[in-house]
Amino acid sequence: MDVIWLLIPLSMVLVLLALRAFVWAVRTRQFDDLDREAARILFEDPKREARPEDMRSGEQRHD
Amino acid sequence: MQFIHSAGLDDFYRLRQAPTGHRPGEGIAADPSAFADPAVAAQYLERDAAGVAHGSLALDGVGCAACAWVLEHGLVDMPGLRQVDVDLASGRLSASWEASDDVEAARGLTRLLSRINALGFDAVPAQPAHELALHAQQRRRSLTAIGIAGIGAMQVMMLAIADYAGLFSGMALDHRALLIWAQMVLTGVVVAFGARTFFRTAWQTLRAGRMGIDVPVSLAIGLGWGVSALVVLSGGISRGEHVYFDSVAMFTFFLLLGRHLEQSVRHRFARADAELDALLPAAVTRLDSDGGRQSVLPAQLRAGDRIEVPPGGIVAADGRVLEGLGEIDRAALTGESTPLPVAPGSEVPAGSRNGAARLRLEVLRPAANSALAAIPQLLARARARRPRSVHLADRVAGVIVIAVLLIAAVTALAWWFIDPARVLPVTLATLMVTCPCAFALATPVTLTAATLRLRRLGILLVDPTALERAQTLVAACFDKTGTLTEPGNLRCEAVVAGTEAECVNMAVALQQDVPHPLAAAFRRLPVSDRCELEHHRVAAGAGVEAFVNGQRWRLGRPDWAAGGGATSTHSDQPAVCEDGIWLTEAGVLRARFRFDALAGAGAPHGEGLRPGARETINRLKARGLDTAIISGDSSDRVRAVAEQLGITRWWAGVDPASKYRLLQETREQGGALYVGDGLNDAPALGGAGVAVAMASACDFTRSAADVIVLDDRLEAVVDLLEGADRTRRIIRQNLLWAISYNLLAMPLAVTGMIAPWAAALGMSASSLLVLGNAARLLRRDHRPHGAIAKARAWT
């Protein structure tokens, strides 16, 4: 059971890293607007016209 | 409590003379000097003729009644200050000060801002963009705290379970020490970062010499961690003593979660100014004296300017009609859906929607002085004057905290004489047993559960303290239009020739694409086929006409529809008259359309009782509440509705300010519930004891409400009151239990008879009991309802 001397400190380091990542995500406004980001994929990129080959590949995937 | 108060006053004087706590750079508060420029400041201020400037500030770091108290009392001696009010619910401070010109007004604003900073709070003049940024920052802060507490608590729980398992199956002492040390570090992180907000508010509260629920919360968290850490550091692990890190971490997490829920609902409905601006058009067509047209901002309009409002456009400023016969729709303002006919000479309010005609108006007053613009100011003042409701828990909190500390001190002293070796363990056990964990949880957890329960019933609780205010209510007042009534349904009657379906199809086709509320009522009719029309045109104030196969069809006022002649010049003719709306083919009557009117004399047109209105009124009466209608509508219409519902007290033709005053007057008897939906109801909602808005209300009105009925179901008002009764009962049970548990266990702990494991078990059990009791509110009732999905969509 001596391995817990390694594993518990290791788990704590991981938790602290996870917390650090979470705080980073909040600070960089990743959680500010959850509704809009979820819907973003549904909107076309306004700068690029839909090309015929894109549409064809989309259809193929549906089949 | 008396000595706390006197201590508070001392503190207040100290505070005033030696302001501390200013944290420059923290928060997003603007540098006060940025508002020294009169031109900049003027955007945020309004100055009245009496030489008084009014300003509204968004506050950060103001979380409790005590902070509001500190602010108000810390500012009160500012030279020239007339009045200062802090509105906790919206995090706003409204102030007025003497200022003869803009320069002086700006100087007052900068002085006010620096003072608030010196008191340890952040403030910015209220403007939508700033305020939203402030909210986003608060949200990020609370999300960070929840994340840290949540992740930390899970990890601590995991380690604690391993520790408990070890109690039964045996564990090496050094392994147990490792587990506990790990718990201590992780809980330390949770306490330091997650619970910071409680400590901060508690400190601000104490500094003001007041008590709030955050003081016992901080005490519980601080004691829980501190006592456990002392046990660890003094070698308690080897003596088999107990630690409470898991309880502390979970406790912090639960409380933060409840606060976050409350805050996010509040923020969602606090975007008042932004929404109100959206009610006005971005640009207006101004007609110059030389015949030119110019597109200007509504703010640039001056009294005497002439503007043109296109069909379907929004009127930007209060004005008088110069040219044009038409109708205006005031639905956004009053909830009134029947349009008002206008002719040269009629006055039209800003925010109303033009009908089908092109109107030319003379601006009577600048947009900023319109009746529409006055409503938010009226509301802001109404809300700031609202008495602060203090939770029962807040009132008891001080006694509890002092009792805990006193008992611990006496115990330590007593044991010092009895057996110095046992001072530390016994004092720690006493502190743990008397630790007000369950007490601090009792109110917030119950309110969170009540909020969730009501949301399931389609009721969104914006301000949970409304549940406690509901206790003293003496009356329930309703707005009429859009609250007790809804737009009526059209009926096709007396089909003179042809089938009903044909006539309905034609009528709907005629009303297609017509920007008029009446047309909207037609479009709700069921259509079986589409009709092809030619020369479709709208005759202002009369109706619509079109040609089908060379035949002229008309739908509108009977005299116009039947007569072949030109548009009538009667301006005072209402759009819907007693004879209904006629559909004619070449002047021959085909069908008549009529609204399902209320039965009885003086029945309003196009207005039906909302389903459940009668039942709601009866149930409110059964609860012993006075019922009343306070409406801006004409008296015969209000009387008709009142008679239908058996309401004996009603007021008609009441303007927003008088609505507010009427409700304000009931306050001394215990306040009144007010249910409304129009923009003109907003100030009344601010003055009500419990303010309820229907979901169909505009955002601005909703922002004034404590409670929002999501599916426009009027019976929700009764559900709300019943929910409030249950919530209050459970809060009282919880507080009683928490206090009696502490009182019962205390003598055992003081005399050193309680084992550490029993103290830990007792504390956890007590907290769990409080949680479980609150969870009773969440028990599902059998209530068929579509409100759940809707409620989710809202939060």
Side-chain angles (χ1 to χ4, degrees), chain B residues 15 29 198 255 263 289 299 347 403 433 473 553 559 569 574 587 613 624 713 715 731 735 749 790:
Chain B
L15 234 161
F198 300 123
L255 280 178
Q263 189 191 54
S289 50
E347 291 193 7
V433 164
L473 290 180
W553 286 77
D559 60 332
T569 50
R713 196 174 49 98
E715 295 98 313
I731 288 182
L735 288 179
K790 219 173 189 174

Side-chain angles (χ1 to χ4, degrees), chain B residues 105-184:
Chain B
R107 205 175 300 141
L109 180 64
T110 26
R111 209 180 297 143
L112 192 66
L113 286 171
S114 7
R115 280 225 172 201
I116 293 172
N117 283 351
L119 287 169
F121 301 94
D122 294 333
V124 284
Q127 219 208 1
H130 282 239
E131 198 183 352
L132 292 183
L134 202 63
H135 285 172
Q137 200 199 23
Q138 280 175 4
R139 224 170 70 95
R140 279 198 291 275
R141 207 177 281 162
S142 103
L143 207 59
T144 313
I146 287 183
I148 292 173
I151 298 173
M154 275 190 277
Q155 201 64 22
V156 171
M157 240 11 235
M158 205 176 70
L159 295 167
I161 285 171
D163 182 25
Y164 294 140
L167 286 180
F168 295 101
S169 58
M171 192 193 292
L173 203 59
D174 52 348
H175 286 170
R176 183 159 188 254
L178 175 68
L179 289 177
I180 288 177
W181 273 91
Q183 285 184 48
M184 184 167 88

Side-chain angles (χ1 to χ4, degrees), chain A residues 1-2 4-5 8-9 11-12 15-16 18-19 22-23 26-29 31-35, chain B residues 136 139-141 143-144 146-148 151-152 155 159 174-175 178-179 181-182 185-186 189 268:
Chain A
M1 280 302 283
D2 283 343
I4 72 161
W5 288 105
I8 287 186
S11 76
M12 282 180 64
V15 166
L16 292 179
L19 280 179
F22 176 75
V23 170
V26 175
R27 288 240 167 98
T28 52
R29 312 189 169 195
F31 292 106
D32 270 19
D33 189 352
L34 298 174
D35 304 333
Chain B
R139 224 170 70 95
R140 279 198 291 275
R141 207 177 281 162
L143 207 59
T144 313
I146 287 183
I148 292 173
I151 298 173
Q155 201 64 22
L159 295 167
D174 52 348
H175 286 170
L178 175 68
L179 289 177
W181 273 91
V185 172
L186 282 170
V189 173
R268 186 164 186 109

Side-chain angles (χ1 to χ4, degrees), chain B residues 185-407:
Chain B
V185 172
L186 282 170
T187 311
V189 173
V190 171
V191 170
F193 295 100
R196 198 162 50 177
T197 154
F198 300 123
F199 293 135
R200 198 170 134 186
T201 322
W203 172 237
Q204 276 165 354
T205 315
L206 284 176
R207 219 169 44 173
R210 285 286 170 102
M211 270 298 163
I213 191 71
D214 274 351
V215 177
V217 165
S218 305
L219 193 72
I221 294 172
L223 275 182
W225 191 83
V227 166
S228 305
L230 262 179
V231 167
V232 173
L233 295 177
S234 64
I237 306 173
S238 55
R239 293 194 301 269
E241 281 177 19
H242 211 88
V243 289
Y244 312 91
F245 294 121
D246 49 343
S247 312
V248 171
M250 294 305 277
F251 176 71
T252 309
F253 177 59
F254 280 134
L255 280 178
L256 282 172
L257 207 60
R259 296 241 169 141
H260 183 73
L261 280 177
E262 192 186 325
Q263 189 191 54
S264 54
V265 176
R266 206 168 66 196
H267 282 179
R268 186 164 186 109
F269 293 95
R271 301 179 181 182
D273 292 2
E275 302 296 345
L276 193 70
D277 284 344
L279 274 180
L280 288 180
V284 207
T285 311
R286 189 172 65 191
L287 305 171
D288 294 333
S289 50
D290 55 3
R293 312 165 143 258
Q294 208 182 340
S295 192
V296 296
L297 296 173
Q300 287 173 288
L301 291 176
R302 294 218 179 76
D305 280 354
R306 304 160 126 241
I307 57 170
E308 189 173 88
V309 187
I314 308 262
V315 179
D318 292 352
R320 185 184 294 120
V321 178
L322 294 173
E323 274 175 54
L325 266 179
E327 285 163 347
I328 54 156
D329 168 18
R330 294 157 300 158
L333 293 171
T334 63
E336 170 61 66
S337 54
T338 312
L340 183 78
V342 291
S346 338
E347 291 193 7
V348 290
S352 52
R353 184 179 283 278
N354 187 12
R358 191 168 288 274
L359 295 179
R360 290 196 173 175
L361 307 178
E362 181 192 352
V363 176
L364 291 175
R365 51 193 83 86
N369 297 349
S370 67
L372 177 74
I375 285 178
Q377 289 150 14
L378 209 55
L379 174 68
R381 269 175 241 164
R383 296 187 63 149
R385 298 248 171 85
R386 165 177 274 184
R388 221 157 277 127
S389 63
V390 183
H391 284 307
L392 181 61
D394 280 342
R395 293 197 295 263
V396 194
V399 184
I400 299 269
V401 171
I402 287 156
V404 167
L405 295 178
L406 219 60
I407 289 164

Side-chain angles (χ1 to χ4, degrees), chain B residues 718-738:
Chain B
V718 187
D719 293 340
L720 169 73
L721 294 181
E722 280 168 2
D725 289 346
R726 283 186 65 184
T727 310
R728 279 196 310 272
R729 217 160 38 231
I730 287 183
I731 288 182
R732 235 172 266 140
Q733 286 165 3
N734 276 350
L735 288 179
L736 194 70
W737 161 253

